[in-house]
Amino acid sequence: MSNTFNLYNIILTFILCFSVSAKSEEACDGEWTVSLSNTSVNSPARDRGDLWFPAYIELSKSLSSCVQWIEIEPLGRGGDRIIKGPQSDVVSSLSDDKRIPLAKNGKGQYVLKTLGKRRIRFWLYLANGRQLSPGVYSGELGFSINHYAGRERLRYAQFKYSVKPYVKARINGQGKNGLSFTGSSIRLDMGNLTKRNHRVLDFTVQSNSSVRVWLASENKGNLVNIEIPNRTIPYFITIDGRRRSLNTPVEYRMYNASNLEGTPLKIGVENHPSPYATAGIYQDVMTVSLFAQ
């Protein structure tokens, strides 16, 4: 009798263990999705010039209780080069919902902990993203989950971000050297035109590409007496150390405007001395246009 009882006890324990395993595997069935935005959000003040793209993974209720982490692999990339641009890879990485960089496992994959949540948020980070050269930046990420039921599941998400050329300009020196401005209108007082006077238009230019500067004079490089239009006084400009006449429009190209601080653009304006000029007020309208290339 004793031997029979022991054999029955062993068989009963085996059946119970099998039933628990089958139930756990069934409880871990469920769906999950990955979403990766192609639109960045405003950067924190400490990350001036960087870009953050929101992303999230959503698990069904049954999966959220089984999955402890998610592995993320940049397909075709490696290290901190997740995204490829028109010229080369850019510095990029993945961070958790608090923007703390994700750790990597021994296989070089990013590890995102679920912490029992059904919706797990994370970020795709692009360093100096606001200064990227114009073009399309793209990449693909592979996602896998491993739970204790032993099944691995895969998802994929593509990223594509288009960068357009832009240019910004700021005039410096308000109230100095005869310069004043309101909005985009600039007034430059040349002083006594019977003498040679030199003034400077001091701009700070910021762009993510090269910039074409176009200058044109309404009176073709002449200051005109507003009461006696046939009385004129010529003037010229200097740009990049070269003296230029404005009898025809002048073009100049800036190749190094792509930086966060901006690039200085100084345009000198100088009149020819006219000791016998007719008294009065002389003026001209010079147009300065900037085009990102």
Side-chain angles (χ1 to χ4, degrees):
M1 278 301 285
S2 177
N3 290 337
T4 304
F5 176 79
N6 289 338
L7 178 62
Y8 175 79
N9 185 58
I10 293 173
I11 294 174
L12 179 60
T13 303
F14 176 78
I15 293 174
L16 287 175
C17 290
F18 178 82
S19 299
V20 171
S21 176
K23 185 176 181 180
S24 299
E25 184 173 344
E26 182 180 353
C28 282
D29 283 336
E31 294 300 321
W32 63 291
T33 58
V34 177
S35 177
L36 179 57
S37 175
N38 295 317
T39 303
S40 65
V41 301
N42 293 331
S43 301
R46 67 178 184 275
D47 296 322
R48 184 169 60 91
D50 299 334
L51 293 179
W52 295 87
F53 296 85
Y56 66 88
I57 295 171
E58 192 157 0
L59 305 174
S60 65
K61 185 176 181 180
S62 56
L63 280 180
S64 65
S65 62
C66 299
V67 178
Q68 296 181 339
W69 67 83
I70 299 165
E71 296 173 338
I72 309 173
E73 180 180 4
L75 302 181
R77 310 254 70 81
D80 59 350
R81 299 294 190 269
I82 299 174
I83 304 302
K84 184 175 180 60
Q87 298 176 347
S88 62
D89 294 352
V90 298
V91 176
S92 51
S93 61
L94 299 177
S95 300
D96 64 16
D97 61 337
K98 297 180 180 179
R99 306 197 185 200
I100 299 174
L102 295 180
K104 294 182 180 179
N105 59 22
K107 298 179 289 183
Q109 300 167 323
Y110 292 92
V111 178
L112 177 63
K113 295 181 179 180
T114 64
L115 303 176
K117 297 179 181 178
R118 293 187 59 185
R119 185 181 177 93
I120 307 99
R121 187 178 184 181
F122 64 103
W123 297 92
L124 170 62
Y125 166 77
L126 268 63
N128 296 323
R130 297 191 185 280
Q131 293 305 116
L132 293 174
S133 300
V136 177
Y137 294 77
S138 61
E140 186 176 15
L141 297 173
F143 299 80
S144 61
I145 60 175
N146 291 273
H147 50 68
Y148 59 72
R151 289 192 248 173
E152 181 182 86
R153 305 185 184 186
L154 303 176
R155 295 288 186 273
Y156 302 93
Q158 291 185 335
F159 173 82
K160 184 174 290 186
Y161 178 62
S162 297
V163 177
K164 297 180 179 180
Y166 76 89
V167 60
K168 300 176 183 178
R170 182 182 71 250
I171 184 73
N172 306 311
Q174 173 79 282
K176 298 179 180 179
N177 200 23
L179 180 67
S180 61
F181 51 86
T182 302
S184 60
S185 298
I186 303 169
R187 181 181 179 85
L188 190 63
D189 187 348
M190 294 299 296
N192 185 352
L193 298 179
T194 63
K195 302 177 181 180
R196 184 184 300 275
N197 301 289
H198 185 81
R199 302 286 188 264
V200 176
L201 294 171
D202 181 8
F203 294 92
T204 298
V205 179
Q206 185 179 356
S207 177
N208 63 347
S209 65
S210 63
V211 176
R212 181 169 67 93
V213 183
W214 185 82
L215 302 101
S217 163
E218 185 178 89
N219 296 308
K220 300 187 182 302
N222 292 289
L223 297 168
V224 177
N225 190 305
I226 61 175
E227 293 183 353
I228 312 174
N230 62 344
R231 308 294 179 144
T232 62
I233 297 176
Y235 73 97
F236 61 89
I237 65 168
T238 55
I239 185 169
D240 197 26
R242 296 179 57 190
R243 179 172 172 171
R244 309 286 292 271
S245 170
L246 284 173
N247 57 347
T248 58
V250 170
E251 290 193 27
Y252 171 74
R253 191 175 295 274
M254 301 177 65
Y255 292 99
N256 60 340
S258 181
N259 63 71
L260 291 175
E261 290 75 26
T263 301
L265 170 65
K266 297 183 183 294
I267 303 173
V269 183
E270 189 169 315
N271 68 287
H272 289 274
S274 303
Y276 305 107
T278 303
I281 299 175
Y282 293 74
Q283 70 176 20
D284 183 36
V285 177
M286 181 174 66
T287 302
V288 181
S289 303
L290 305 174
F291 303 92
Q293 301 296 290

